[in-house]
Amino acid sequence: MSSVSTGVEPIIEARKLEKFYPQPDGNRIQVIAPTDLAIYPGQIIALLGPSGCGKSTMLRMLTGLSPASSGSVYWHGQPVGGETPNVSIVFQSFALFPWMTVIENVEAPLEARGVAEFERHKRALRIIDAVGLDGFESAYPKELSGGMKQRVGVARALVVEPEVLFMDEPFSALDVLTAETLRGELLELWLGKKIPTRAIFIVTHNIEEAVVLADRIIVLGRNPAHIHAEFTVDMAHPRDHKEPQFVELVDQIYRALTRQDHPEATPAELQGILAAKQKRALMLPHTRPGGMAGLLEILADQGGHADLHVLADELSLEVDALLPTVDTAVLLGLLKLEEGDAIITPDGEAFAKGDIQERKKIFRAAVLANVPLLRQMEQALKAKANRTLPAEFFQDLLDEHFSEDESRRQLETAIQWGRYAELFDYDAASGKLTLTEI
Ligand code: ADP
Ligand code: MG
């Protein structure tokens, strides 16, 4: 990385950092491809990427919270693991202790570090004042709005005077105006040098948030996560959404985010990416066939071709909200993505124009060809004389691959798709799946 070219020592440096999750079949899913990344003092870095691409996993490894599967993280040139680095993390979910008051929440990390009561109290009051929580010291989290809760989250993170402040989608649970206010306040603390923090690393899926805040924006690609593009933001603060330079940068980043091919990869890397992609096809985007049908109809109406950004605008959606539906259509071979444009395939066109029976036929063929889980479910049901299995059977299989929540959502999605494809029927009362005989 470029410690040579900048002449500045990075605070944190990741070299060939990778993350795998083991699979029951002895294979492993690669979530993060070998990645080099450095955090330099004086910068706000934004890590941008679609949901599920590996941003939080990367953040946890950089903080030392989660071990790397391969590669290393260095803090001031020393491998993490020995001494715990001085970092703190602000989470999207606020993660406050509900039984503690505001000031007790803010003091908690100091108490954990053995700071004496008087000193603890003094430092907590100072930071509470700085983040605009003055007067709320003895309130409980449940009495606070989302914005005030996250101010507590920020205060609690800053009270330990972290060298690097990590934030994982800190504003995405807040309404738009509150999020904007809190971003402004964060910038004020940072630019006004009111905090000793030397770098901020913020994970987000919001392009505009990244451009408002960051000096450097790293765009992650997925399957497995890798650095897809990097942007330097050379604009004075405060940055105005309407400035041409702002709009142009958002557009460039947007194109980088949606580009699905990997023109920069060597043939060997591409092989690895494709292999990982096939494994990750195990994972279903959480969408309903009806939603995808709507998207394909709109596209067919527009001549089979549209800019995703424009399409999202027309639907008053954030691009991010549209992506799972787009992913579903791409996974099923009904849509292609090229440079941020969605292009309907001949199957997609036939689907959009077909009646319900034709749609089901196309959908059925598409899931059997492209979705290993549904193929597996069909085969398992076929293997039973009575063509029936409890849904729990599949839940257990999925539990091996995913967290409990995720495996439940995977199964719900698979059941919705399978019913629409008329592969099987699901009886919610008995929790049983029965193969549809055709
Ligand atoms: P992001 O923060 O970008 O939304 P995450 O880092 O949380 O993404 O997750 C990246 C990917 O890793 C997801 O596809 C998720 O399902 C997968 N993943 C996370 N934890 C585990 C785990 N314990 N086992 C298997 N896969 C996991
Ligand atoms: Mg995350």
Side-chain angles (χ1 to χ4, degrees):
M1 300 241 26
S2 47
S3 50
V4 179
S5 62
T6 61
V8 180
E9 287 289 318
I11 304 173
I12 304 175
E13 191 169 6
R15 294 194 205 132
K16 304 230 173 317
L17 197 60
E18 287 184 75
K19 189 77 176 184
F20 301 105
Y21 288 111
Q23 294 291 103
D25 58 6
N27 286 318
R28 39 188 207 172
I29 289 188
Q30 183 159 25
V31 174
I32 311 273
T35 299
D36 290 339
L37 198 162
I39 298 179
Y40 293 96
Q43 288 195 332
I44 300 184
I45 298 182
L47 186 68
L48 190 65
S51 300
C53 77
K55 302 182 295 297
S56 297
T57 305
M58 184 76 88
L59 179 146
R60 283 195 300 270
M61 288 196 291
L62 290 173
T63 59
L65 203 67
S66 158
S69 305
S70 176
S72 319
V73 178
Y74 300 89
W75 278 72
H76 298 290
Q78 299 298 313
V80 284
E83 207 175 318
T84 315
N86 186 17
V87 294
S88 38
I89 309 178
V90 177
F91 297 97
Q92 175 185 350
S93 59
F94 318 135
L96 305 178
F97 300 121
W99 62 89
M100 289 186 183
T101 61
V102 166
I103 192 154
E104 285 165 354
N105 266 287
V106 175
E107 282 184 40
L110 294 178
E111 195 172 358
R113 291 173 193 216
V115 178
E117 192 180 347
F118 179 76
E119 174 69 13
R120 211 159 73 206
H121 207 66
K122 198 176 76 183
R123 284 170 63 176
L125 283 174
R126 198 186 315 137
I127 199 74
I128 280 174
D129 192 31
V131 302
L133 279 168
D134 217 7
F136 288 86
E137 292 83 354
S138 52
Y140 285 91
K142 66 169 188 297
E143 301 169 58
L144 303 178
S145 66
M148 292 304 269
K149 280 191 189 120
Q150 196 56 305
R151 286 191 177 89
V152 182
V154 172
R156 188 185 49 188
L158 290 175
V159 77
V160 301
E161 308 197 330
E163 183 170 15
V164 181
L165 174 67
F166 284 89
M167 309 181 97
D168 193 348
E169 312 220 15
F171 308 125
S172 44
L174 305 173
D175 66 80
V176 178
L177 287 180
T178 308
E180 200 174 310
T181 308
L182 262 67
R183 283 195 282 269
E185 291 171 5
L186 178 71
L187 274 177
E188 214 177 292
L189 290 173
W190 169 253
L191 297 170
K193 303 204 175 350
K194 293 175 185 154
I195 47 175
T197 293
R198 296 174 71 220
I200 298 179
F201 185 91
I202 179 168
V203 160
T204 178
H205 64 250
N206 181 330
I207 301 175
E208 296 209 343
E209 174 164 287
V211 177
V212 164
L213 293 174
D215 301 295
R216 237 173 97 202
I217 299 174
I218 295 171
V219 176
L220 284 191
R222 20 176 179 195
N223 300 326
H226 57 281
I227 295 184
H228 185 61
E230 203 176 314
F231 297 87
T232 303
V233 191
D234 201 7
M235 293 171 66
H237 291 284
R239 296 174 183 161
D240 180 356
H241 297 235
K242 297 196 186 72
E243 265 175 65
Q245 204 186 341
F246 192 107
V247 174
E248 167 61 24
L249 186 56
V250 168
D251 206 56
Q252 271 183 33
I253 296 171
Y254 175 73
R255 271 181 271 132
L257 257 175
T258 49
R259 199 183 299 135
Q260 292 285 305
D261 47 344
H262 303 270
E264 78 286 20
T266 64
E269 286 169 343
L270 209 54
Q271 274 286 309
I273 291 167
L274 286 175
K277 228 178 203 155
Q278 276 160 10
K279 260 187 220 162
R280 292 297 303 280
L282 280 173
M283 177 140 179
L284 306 180
H286 300 292
T287 56
R288 293 157 201 272
M292 185 194 66
L295 175 71
L296 291 173
E297 282 171 27
I298 291 169
L299 262 180
D301 278 351
Q302 303 197 350
H305 189 282
D307 182 317
L308 269 188
H309 211 159
V310 174
L311 200 61
D313 256 9
E314 286 171 358
L315 299 172
S316 305
L317 285 175
E318 278 199 51
V319 170
D320 219 62
L322 195 61
L323 283 181
T325 308
V326 168
D327 282 351
T328 306
V330 170
L331 172 68
L332 297 179
L334 306 178
L335 194 72
K336 276 188 315 187
L337 283 182
E338 270 170 29
E339 298 277 329
D341 283 352
I343 303 163
I344 204 163
T345 64
D347 277 348
E349 177 111 28
F351 182 95
K353 303 209 160 131
D355 63 21
I356 183 74
Q357 285 317 318
E358 279 159 335
R359 284 184 176 189
K360 283 177 178 263
K361 225 168 92 188
I362 293 166
F363 191 81
R364 181 188 174 98
V367 294
L368 287 175
N370 297 297
V371 185
L373 173 60
L374 281 161
R375 207 159 50 222
Q376 211 181 350
M377 290 171 83
E378 189 202 32
Q379 278 164 8
L381 289 167
K382 269 190 181 152
K384 283 284 305 287
N386 68 358
R387 304 290 199 245
T388 295
L389 277 168
E392 274 179 342
F393 174 77
F394 299 105
Q395 187 81 69
D396 287 347
L397 294 183
L398 284 165
D399 281 344
E400 307 279 345
H401 299 252
F402 302 105
S403 67
E404 204 179 315
D405 264 8
E406 185 57 41
S407 78
R408 209 187 52 246
R409 300 200 313 159
Q410 286 290 312
L411 187 61
E412 278 169 15
T413 301
I415 289 176
Q416 272 177 13
W417 292 17
R419 289 171 108 174
Y420 185 87
E422 298 190 345
L423 283 175
F424 47 71
D425 217 349
Y426 174 63
D427 178 38
S430 65
K432 287 195 168 143
L433 290 167
T434 306
L435 195 72
T436 310
E437 303 289 354
I438 50 166

